[in-house]
Amino acid sequence: MDFGLVDKKAFVGGASRGIGKAIALELAREGCDVVIASRTMTDLEQSAQEISEATGRTIIPIAMDATNTEQVDRVVAEAAERLGGLHILVNSASLPGGSADAIGPIDTVNEDSLLSDFDVKYVGALRCARAAIPFLKEQGWGRIVNISGGNGRTAGNLSGGARNVSMVHMTKTLAMQLGRFGITVNCIHPGTTRTERTPGLLEARAAQLGIPVSEVEAHDFAPDSPRGNHICRMVDGSEIGYLTCYLASDKAWAVTGEVIAAGGGTGAAVYY
């Protein structure tokens, strides 16, 4: 299927590694030129080189702190100038795993860490959207995809769950405001996702369980496991990228203001 993304211009936040990097790679494979942004320029430069070599597209790394409004405005404007326009914004920035001391239980939650987590994930995405929207309006065509997280549907993580729920609300609100300008806004809830960080996490989990690394995935992703899903394996970062490409495409006009879970199916709850 032709997604109609050839020569589209995309900005992906939180793309030096992990899910953001995987999304940038798949957008480039579909023909997009991409600015990738995060705090660490060294990681960005390496990722930009890897994606460019794999796809032949223009990949531009620009360091950005999503908590700094002035910097976000400047970087998004620079991205639009260097790309020659802007069609797609993907908000994927977050603190890895959320703030460790903002998870809970409630008597140990550090309020400053909780606010910091929201400042990066929710307010950071809001800053990026606000900066990008004028450029999307200029095109008369735009896509915003917010990467949230499956724990927004599961109680327990006071930081990650709450910040991910807030992303859903922002998604619907922006979709209502922007549809008349030819801009759609959607949200993806990834679950546990395979990225370049996964081998180390599997090793740590194997040590915790006292089993070989090769058995961890089968153990944790069995349907009857608390961490399990319906497909009995970890979702790959590329699969989040595929879904993002669809939502960013010319084929997805009918989908806006929606949240799509991409964790392989978890639990028995029915969402409708």
Side-chain angles (χ1 to χ4, degrees):
M1 179 181 292
D2 179 8
F3 283 150
L5 291 176
V6 174
D7 294 332
K8 287 289 193 291
K9 316 300 182 183
F11 182 99
V12 183
S16 63
R17 59 183 180 174
I19 290 175
K21 179 181 176 181
I23 290 170
L25 174 60
E26 296 307 325
L27 285 170
R29 283 177 169 158
E30 291 296 326
C32 293
D33 295 324
V34 187
V35 163
I36 59 174
S38 75
R39 293 183 186 226
T40 308
M41 191 61 180
T42 303
D43 292 343
L44 281 171
E45 289 174 336
Q46 181 177 342
S47 294
Q49 181 177 350
E50 292 173 6
I51 296 170
S52 180
E53 290 176 353
T55 65
R57 302 303 305 189
T58 297
I59 311 296
I60 302 171
I62 308 179
M64 183 188 76
D65 179 355
T67 68
N68 185 317
T69 299
E70 181 179 352
Q71 194 174 125
V72 170
D73 290 345
R74 175 180 55 78
V75 168
V76 172
E78 179 183 348
E81 180 179 1
R82 294 179 66 179
L83 289 171
L86 191 62
H87 303 92
I88 299 162
L89 168 67
V90 179
N91 286 311
S92 187
S94 67
L95 296 174
S99 301
D101 52 357
I103 293 175
I106 193 168
D107 57 334
T108 66
V109 168
N110 182 297
E111 293 178 17
D112 289 337
S113 293
L114 182 64
L115 291 170
S116 176
D117 201 5
F118 266 81
D119 198 16
V120 173
K121 184 73 173 181
Y122 173 73
V123 187
L126 190 66
R127 291 184 185 102
C128 289
R130 186 172 56 199
I133 285 167
F135 298 103
L136 304 184
K137 285 182 177 179
E138 284 180 9
Q139 304 291 337
W141 187 103
R143 300 287 186 265
I144 299 174
V145 181
N146 296 317
I147 306 303
S148 181
N151 58 11
R153 290 180 171 175
T154 306
N157 184 325
L158 288 170
S159 178
R163 75 170 187 243
N164 290 335
V165 169
S166 70
M167 293 287 282
V168 174
H169 190 279
M170 179 177 66
T171 295
K172 187 66 171 181
T173 300
L174 292 182
M176 291 173 65
Q177 294 179 6
L178 299 174
R180 71 195 69 181
F181 302 107
I183 301 169
T184 67
V185 189
N186 289 289
C187 185
I188 297 174
H189 275 333
T192 303
T193 304
R194 190 186 311 280
T195 68
E196 67 273 20
R197 297 176 61 241
T198 301
L201 296 175
L202 290 177
E203 289 176 6
R205 181 68 174 152
Q208 178 186 14
L209 295 171
I211 62 176
V213 172
S214 59
E215 297 179 11
V216 171
E217 193 166 348
H219 177 278
D220 279 358
F221 289 89
D224 57 351
S225 165
R227 297 172 176 233
N229 63 24
H230 303 335
I231 61 175
C232 303
R233 65 167 177 84
M234 194 181 303
V235 171
D236 192 77
S238 63
E239 294 173 292
I240 308 300
Y242 304 153
L243 179 56
T244 302
C245 287
Y246 167 70
L247 293 174
S249 78
D250 244 350
K251 308 299 184 186
W253 279 110
V255 184
T256 191
E258 301 297 342
V259 184
I260 302 174
T266 57
V270 178
Y271 298 95
Y272 57 90

